Amino acid sequence: MIRTTLAIGLVAAICASILTFRETDGQFPDRYQAVAMMESSDILALATANSPQLEYAYSLSEALGNVAPGATLYFPDDGLRIREWTGVKLAGFGMADSVVATSLTTSALEDTISVPSDAVIHTGEADADRSWEIILDPDGDHSSLVYMVPGPTNPNERIIETSLVNVDLAGDDA
Amino acid sequence: MILELTIVAVFFLAGAVVSYASGLRGATQAVGALVVASTLAPALGWLLIVLHLPVNLWVFGALGGAAVALALVWTTRRAAPGASNGHQRGAGIAWGWLAGAAALSLIAAFTVRALLLFKWSTDSLTYINIGATLANDTYPDTIYPALLEDRVVGTPLLHEASALQQEFFLHAATPLTAGAIAAVCTWGLWRVVGRALATRAGIATAVVAVIALLVTNRLVFTSFYINGHATVALGVAVLAVGAWVLAERSTHTGWAVVMVIAGIATVVTRPDSIVLLAIVLLPIVTQREIPRAVRIWVPASIGVAAIAWQSYMVWIWHSYATSMSKAALISLAAAVGILVLAALAATPWITRWQVWILAAGEWGLWALLAAAALLTTGLVKASGEATWENTVGNAGGWFPMLPALGILIAAAFVLLRRTTTRPMRFVVTAFVPLMMLLAVARGAAYRVGTGDSLNRAWTHIVPVAIVLLIALLALGSQRLIRASRLNTVASGS
């Protein structure tokens, strides 16, 4: 009797779950629904296209992966072994080949960079209200650099996060 | 598409070899293969990271290939003609079951990729981004303490192979993990109920379990969601359901190998896994009906791996942060605690005191929660209200299955008792105070909405709860016979 009653309860719960499945799904956006299909497998493009916050967060990494895959990234950390989310994003979604932490300060590294006159410049906006530029030197396959222009707010964050990344500045003949 | 199906086939082959080498036979061999295929990457990959070896696909593939080759050589030598057991080469390979499981895996992989069935959130992006750094070998030069502690490494490792096809995630990874959960749940019911009652009853209960899993909206969502919840749910199911099947003497002790692999994958998949594993392993260690060797070696293996992993985390904090994380130290202590459990399993008294140990553990958690409710300013109350809204109010998408399971299991717990189900029962009932305490530990209440961490974490125990309820309904209470009565019967008086 006890088991029969409880079994009826379980069957009722299953039936009620079937009846409410669609209604439950309907209260969530597509990507939180149980069975809705996505438009594309390019999850990074989906993210940056659907959310301004995610565009800020990932557009630079996405662009770096598109225009300069296989780059060597030099992160100035002033010798402090500082690692931040920006570095992981640029290395991962930026499809870097290797990452090197330099003991140079940001300003010292900045001094070593010169922008070629015929450089191809890609621009966009990154997190913390800062814009970015990827400046590609057309003379070399990987002779390119990424430059995040300090924004009007939080200029000091340039030091905390990796605000200047030298992408294989010395050039790569490969 | 071809590459993704190839990756699925390779992982399934590795799972099948490990399952066979573990001594599993028949349908259990295929279920073991599915579990190992879904957990092998996280269960192996973390070791490369700890050893400061590259985790790129070539190294990963070479080591995995070598491990599979060694397992194959070992098993074929053991079963070669003239060997002591006299078995024929290849004897014991469940060709039919393995072929069926492989075909289902490939069809599922094809379908989810063709229909673009995947779910993502900002967390998903973080996981697959870390996976990209693993694949291009920039992980050791970029990982930092807070990220390692929050996101761990299991989910990135699960998706790392997608780099072979210039993508950031494997479409098939999470759905196949969910498929393995369903396989473990149905296998457990089929084995135990089928043996205790009738094969037809075993199959019927397995079908009911599959239906219950399929109609639960958030379980279906989790089956496609790029995150670690499915892996943790699989680990919990493999350990808790597997322990029940072992306690019922309905499977080979080789299942312990599957338990260890799934358990280690769980350790490295979510930051709170280590405390969850503590409540999963406690009833296993104290369960008299489970063979002693399993009770010792499963927690010992998981404990050693957990200590190594948590030590690495402490080292990362020491190397790249100005202060040490309390959570990292507590997790390391919990890992040591799991190894201590293994040592205690070797003592004869621990099984005799199971009821008291489990009661002390569970009531201890509730007592801590009561103290936390008194000492914090509304955090526990806020968590409780949000959880009520998510489950009963359906803001989190769990209504009606989760509240119904709560009521039915509470009633079954009071009215139906079966000693061997304790490994499942304890994790289901202790999960509630444990998760409420974790909210206190992190200093932030749970919130209303499907993205809330507890709302997602229900997935970790709901499959086990479904198996527990169906098992109790099918088998009823255990007839307990006093030892003195047994002695009387044995002496013939």
Side-chain angles (χ1 to χ4, degrees):
Chain A
M1 183 62 183
I2 294 167
R3 286 155 65 192
T4 307
T5 308
L6 294 177
I8 290 169
L10 177 61
V11 171
I14 288 173
C15 293
S17 296
I18 294 169
L19 292 173
T20 56
F21 196 96
R22 272 185 176 277
E23 186 187 326
T24 297
D25 248 8
Q27 66 184 350
F28 302 128
D30 279 2
R31 61 191 172 97
Y32 286 109
Q33 287 181 9
V35 287
M37 292 181 281
M38 295 290 114
E39 311 99 75
S40 154
S41 283
D42 190 344
I43 191 168
L44 197 51
L46 282 176
T48 54
N50 287 327
S51 157
Q53 289 85 0
L54 293 176
E55 185 185 4
Y56 281 138
Y58 290 107
S59 60
L60 172 59
S61 309
E62 184 187 23
L64 182 65
N66 288 334
V67 303
T72 298
L73 305 179
Y74 292 86
F75 290 97
D77 71 351
D78 301 359
L80 298 174
R81 307 185 86 188
I82 293 172
R83 294 179 175 193
E84 295 285 349
W85 178 225
T86 304
V88 181
K89 283 191 294 185
L90 290 175
F93 285 151
M95 300 175 78
D97 184 58
S98 58
V99 168
V100 180
T102 76
S103 57
L104 289 173
T105 62
T106 304
S107 56
L109 188 60
E110 200 170 11
D111 290 341
T112 67
I113 292 174
S114 60
V115 179
S117 58
D118 56 349
V120 180
I121 301 177
H122 303 259
T123 60
E125 290 186 359
D127 42 359
D129 293 329
R130 290 174 300 169
S131 59
W132 53 260
E133 292 176 356
I134 300 174
I135 307 168
L136 291 181
D137 178 358
D139 294 335
D141 286 343
H142 296 288
S143 180
S144 55
L145 54 90
V146 178
Y147 183 49
M148 291 176 69
V149 180
T153 58
N154 298 328
N156 290 336
E157 248 185 68
R158 297 180 66 218
I159 306 301
I160 299 167
E161 289 195 9
T162 308
S163 59
L164 175 66
V165 181
N166 176 359
V167 184
D168 201 8
L169 187 64
D172 185 346
D173 295 330
Chain B
M1 177 68 88
I2 297 294
L3 265 175
E4 179 134 358
L5 294 181
T6 307
I7 292 165
V8 169
V10 167
F11 272 105
F12 184 84
L13 177 66
V17 170
V18 172
S19 189
Y20 173 72
S22 305
L24 302 177
R25 296 294 178 263
T28 308
Q29 193 178 94
V31 175
L34 288 170
V35 173
V36 176
S38 297
T39 50
L40 197 59
L44 274 180
W46 71 274
L47 189 57
L48 300 178
I49 292 170
V50 169
L51 294 173
H52 298 269
L53 292 169
V55 200
N56 65 51
L57 295 173
W58 296 109
V59 175
F60 214 166
L63 280 178
V68 168
L70 277 174
L72 269 176
V73 168
W74 178 69
T75 49
T76 50
R77 282 173 69 92
R78 195 180 61 153
S84 58
N85 59 11
H87 287 170
Q88 293 296 310
R89 190 183 299 269
I93 298 177
W95 292 109
W97 286 107
L98 287 176
L104 280 176
S105 297
L106 291 170
I107 290 168
F110 176 86
T111 306
V112 295
R113 176 146 194 129
L115 298 180
L116 298 178
L117 282 171
F118 66 92
K119 304 288 155 189
W120 63 276
S121 66
T122 50
D123 289 357
S124 313
L125 293 169
T126 307
Y127 287 120
I128 63 175
N129 190 6
I130 297 169
T133 66
L134 288 168
N136 66 14
D137 268 342
T138 55
Y139 180 87
D141 297 317
T142 53
I143 193 67
Y144 59 94
L147 185 64
L148 182 70
E149 187 170 293
D150 283 351
R151 302 299 165 197
V152 210
V153 80
T155 309
L157 284 164
L158 186 66
H159 290 279
E160 188 192 342
S162 62
L164 280 173
Q165 44 189 0
Q166 308 297 314
E167 289 181 342
F168 294 119
F169 73 102
L170 272 180
H171 293 66
T174 317
L176 290 182
T177 306
I181 295 170
V184 170
C185 293
T186 53
W187 162 81
L189 286 164
W190 174 64
R191 292 292 296 178
V192 177
V193 179
R195 283 165 65 102
L197 301 178
T199 305
R200 197 178 295 174
I203 293 170
T205 53
V207 169
V208 173
V210 169
I211 293 171
L213 292 170
L214 283 176
V215 301
T216 306
N217 188 289
R218 288 301 88 185
L219 283 185
V220 179
F221 164 76
T222 305
S223 303
F224 303 110
Y225 179 37
I226 302 169
N227 205 309
H229 296 295
T231 302
V232 174
L234 177 59
V236 173
V238 166
L239 287 161
V241 176
W244 168 57
V245 181
L246 280 165
E248 294 276 1
R249 309 258 196 252
S250 295
T251 192
H252 189 272
T253 51
W255 185 259
V257 175
V258 182
M259 291 169 109
V260 168
I261 291 172
I264 292 173
T266 304
V267 167
V268 299
T269 293
R270 289 197 60 84
D272 52 6
S273 290
I274 193 76
V275 286
L276 178 59
L277 277 172
I279 66 165
V280 173
L281 290 169
L282 184 62
I284 295 175
V285 163
T286 55
Q287 189 76 34
R288 181 197 310 267
E289 295 85 353
I290 296 175
R292 194 156 168 254
V294 174
R295 291 191 287 111
I296 294 172
W297 288 109
V298 168
S301 307
I302 295 173
V304 167
I307 288 171
W309 174 250
Q310 300 300 344
S311 300
Y312 172 76
M313 198 171 285
V314 167
W315 177 79
I316 286 282
W317 273 102
H318 173 73
S319 300
Y320 297 103
T322 51
S323 61
M324 180 53 66
S325 157
K326 282 181 190 166
L329 292 174
I330 291 169
S331 296
L332 179 57
V336 173
I338 287 176
L339 194 59
V340 171
L341 274 182
L344 291 175
T347 63
W349 55 267
I350 195 161
T351 53
R352 272 183 249 140
W353 293 90
Q354 186 194 36
V355 172
W356 296 104
I357 291 169
L358 297 186
E362 191 156 358
W363 286 109
L365 286 172
W366 282 109
L368 278 174
L369 184 61
L374 291 172
L375 295 173
T376 58
T377 51
L379 197 149
V380 175
K381 183 168 177 268
S383 287
E385 287 172 350
T387 303
W388 177 271
E389 191 58 33
N390 283 338
T391 52
V392 180
N394 206 24
W398 281 105
F399 188 83
M401 185 57 84
L402 189 55
L405 278 175
I407 294 166
L408 294 170
I409 286 177
F413 176 54
V414 173
L415 301 169
L416 304 169
R417 296 294 178 94
R418 194 170 181 87
T419 317
T420 52
T421 57
R422 280 180 190 150
M424 294 192 289
R425 200 276 302 162
F426 184 76
V427 67
V428 168
T429 53
F431 182 80
V432 178
L434 179 75
M435 292 306 290
M436 286 293 167
L437 279 169
L438 283 178
V440 176
R442 71 176 187 172
Y446 294 121
R447 60 190 167 84
V448 176
T450 191
D452 169 60
S453 57
L454 174 57
N455 194 65
R456 289 179 280 124
W458 287 117
T459 311
H460 302 168
I461 55 148
V462 167
V464 175
I466 288 171
V467 175
L468 170 64
L469 180 61
I470 295 173
L472 287 172
L473 294 182
L475 300 170
S477 295
Q478 201 168 23
R479 283 202 310 141
L480 297 174
I481 303 172
R482 288 181 186 280
S484 56
R485 170 72 181 144
L486 278 176
N487 292 337
T488 309
V489 171
S491 63
S493 57

